[in-house]
Amino acid sequence: MSLISKLFNTLFSSNSVTQTLDEQEVLFKQILDTSSVAIFLINPKGYIIQANQRMQEMFLYPLETLIGKEYVELIHPLERELGRQKMIALLTNKIDSVDLECIYYKEDGSIFWGRLTGKPFYDAKGAKIGLVGVIANIDERKYTQQYEIHHKHILQMITHTSPLSSILHVMVGDIESIHHRCIGCNILLLDENNHQLNLGATSNELQCLSTTLIQAAHSDRNFLSQLLALEATPHLLNALDHEPWWHAKMALHEQNQHCWINPIVSASKQPLGFLIICSLQNKPLTPREIKLLEDEVQFIALAIEKSKSDAKLQLAANVFTHAREGIIITDPYGTIIEANDAFVRITGYQREEILGRNPRILKSGRQEMPFYMHMWHNISTFGNWQGEIWNRRKDGSIYAEMLTISAIKDSEGEIQNFVALFTDISTIKEHEKALEHLAQHDALTSLPNRSLLQDRLKQAIAEAERYSTYLAVLYIDLDGFKEINDTYGHGVGDELLITVSQRIASLLRKNETIARLGGDEFIALLTNLEELSECNIIVQRILEAMNEVIEIHGIELCISASIGISIYPRDTRNAEELISDADKAMYCAKQAGKNRYTFFNQIEEA
């Protein structure tokens, strides 16, 4: 986000010597249109004034419609006011940035989850002229997270013997909520003799459909027999219309077109009822939504069988068979007595290998003993614990998981078992790590950016103060870079910057930092200097390295460097002033003929 904001600030500053404003706009548009996230600008009144190609694709609006549109119109009405407040807070300097997840509307009326990050952007004089926003489509991740939470909740309700009616109503409510009430569903249950359909739970919008089906099954025995003969897979209601038994009762029902029905069967393939899911927006269901039918009927089947007092072992077997989460059950002493297929898939241990073992076989060593003490304190005090933990697979690889451990007690309150449910979140962790790196590093050279430099500088100052050593801040500007960039183009210029950054980094000692501020400007931090003469040696090496010919695509390039140096604590103890002083010294080195270095105290004494 900081890189994108910097790009827009550069574009609107109009201070480039080598490019016209029109050329800059074309270049920046090409850069932004390659992004996998939506990027847009809004003016101080909250209206979109620029957007990249990904934003058009994400929201399904043509560019000419997006431009001039009020940003908050893209937000779901339930969250629109919050979005407006955040935007106003940014524009009025009450907050520095925005990072939040919210629901957005597409042009066709469909809805998706997005993660918004936003910051102000400024003109050349430092005046705020609007906001730059980035929206990443996180709908798939949110969808997966919400369904994992939903399934865990249903499993817990089943395990804790919640009434069947409560479980079914929660399932309907969760499905409606996860799909932003764009999908409705109803659950029809068979009586003990499979002679009658009864309503288990339904969305309000599907009440009429439920009533029609129940009445048809009640009045026509053949209709119910044909329903029971359906294969236990999703069926489009409209596709059944060619069947005489269906056509006679349901052909005129308006909700047939975008509704799917899936029989609910027990583990022994006995019919239990039907789950129906319908689009409430008169649109075909997506493959993801149809897959929802197949997943949900398994949990409904478990709930129904539990409500009929099936054996607990049968219930556990069904939970294990159909859950996406890894599940293990232990006895009160922590010995594993059962593990499901998902556990085998995630950990690599076969069921036979893990039974009779303790879950500590999965320990990665990343958590210290206090972590486990806190975890078991919560389990013994509250009956459960939930959190992130790092575990080890059979092949030795380490993965992150979201883990829930619950204590199962008997009627006397004695613990009989522990049940652990976990989900592999390694991919999410890797994504978070990549985003964090992007936020703190220069996109071209992968060097620390200004934000990370500030943190490193503060740490270096603290260390210098603690050990009474010197700290040198080197402000490095390349001589002759502009001419090379103009002559050979940005591709060669970029590769030259990468090579220069690698050369400088190779000359620094461990724990020292080289950062790129932008363009051809770098800052190096030299730490743990016992004598100032150590600084001269390293700086001289940098100058010599910059004077060496650099070959890019067969082109021999010659540059040099002008370096300004400020010293902590001799020149100042303030981090910002150290950078500013080094900048001033670098400018003097330029003025004095380039290819040299100048200490800040030298220009102070002059």
Side-chain angles (χ1 to χ4, degrees), residues 160-196:
H160 291 91
T161 325
S162 298
L164 178 61
S165 60
S166 298
I167 295 174
L168 299 184
H169 280 90
V170 167
M171 293 186 78
V172 170
D174 283 355
I175 291 171
E176 290 177 339
S177 176
I178 291 171
H179 293 89
H180 316 299
R181 305 202 175 278
C182 295
I183 284 182
C185 66
N186 67 43
I187 302 168
L188 302 178
L189 304 179
L190 286 161
D191 65 5
E192 290 292 331
N193 299 314
N194 296 342
H195 290 165
Q196 188 171 330

Side-chain angles (χ1 to χ4, degrees), residues 47-51 55-56 59-71 73-74 106-107:
Y47 289 85
I48 298 172
I49 59 174
Q50 187 58 270
M55 189 165 187
Q56 301 175 56
F59 287 88
L60 304 180
Y61 281 103
L63 180 61
E64 56 269 26
T65 304
L66 275 176
I67 302 302
K69 194 174 188 66
E70 189 177 14
Y71 159 70
E73 290 181 17
L74 301 176
K106 295 184 181 181
E107 190 275 339

Side-chain angles (χ1 to χ4, degrees), residues 134-152:
V134 175
I135 300 173
N137 189 326
I138 60 170
D139 197 65
E140 194 64 36
R141 175 170 67 82
K142 289 291 290 189
Y143 188 89
T144 300
Q145 286 179 347
Q146 289 175 323
Y147 262 103
E148 287 176 351
I149 294 170
H150 161 63
H151 287 155
K152 285 182 180 180

Side-chain angles (χ1 to χ4, degrees), residues 363-376:
K363 285 179 63 173
S364 66
R366 287 201 178 187
Q367 284 84 24
E368 301 292 338
M369 185 55 65
F371 172 88
Y372 293 102
M373 292 174 64
H374 174 73
M375 179 180 76
W376 284 106

Side-chain angles (χ1 to χ4, degrees), residues 45 138 168 179 222 347 359 380 405 482 489 500 528 545 553:
K45 294 183 178 180
I138 60 170
L168 299 184
H179 293 89
N222 180 58
T347 67
S380 61
I405 301 177
K482 175 183 176 300
V500 166
N528 297 320
H553 301 312

Side-chain angles (χ1 to χ4, degrees), residues 75-141:
I75 303 176
H76 192 282
L78 294 177
E79 301 187 348
R80 190 167 292 163
E81 186 55 33
L82 174 61
R84 191 185 304 277
Q85 291 174 4
K86 291 289 187 182
M87 181 179 67
I88 293 173
L90 262 181
L91 289 169
T92 55
N93 297 322
K94 293 182 179 178
I95 57 176
D96 296 327
S97 62
V98 165
D99 188 342
L100 54 85
E101 297 176 351
C102 57
I103 306 170
Y104 289 96
Y105 264 137
K106 295 184 181 181
E107 190 275 339
D108 64 355
S110 59
I111 294 169
F112 71 98
W113 276 96
R115 179 183 178 187
L116 168 71
T117 53
K119 284 187 176 182
F121 71 99
Y122 306 87
D123 63 15
K125 298 179 180 179
K128 182 185 297 182
I129 56 175
L131 305 177
V132 54
V134 175
I135 300 173
N137 189 326
I138 60 170
D139 197 65
E140 194 64 36
R141 175 170 67 82

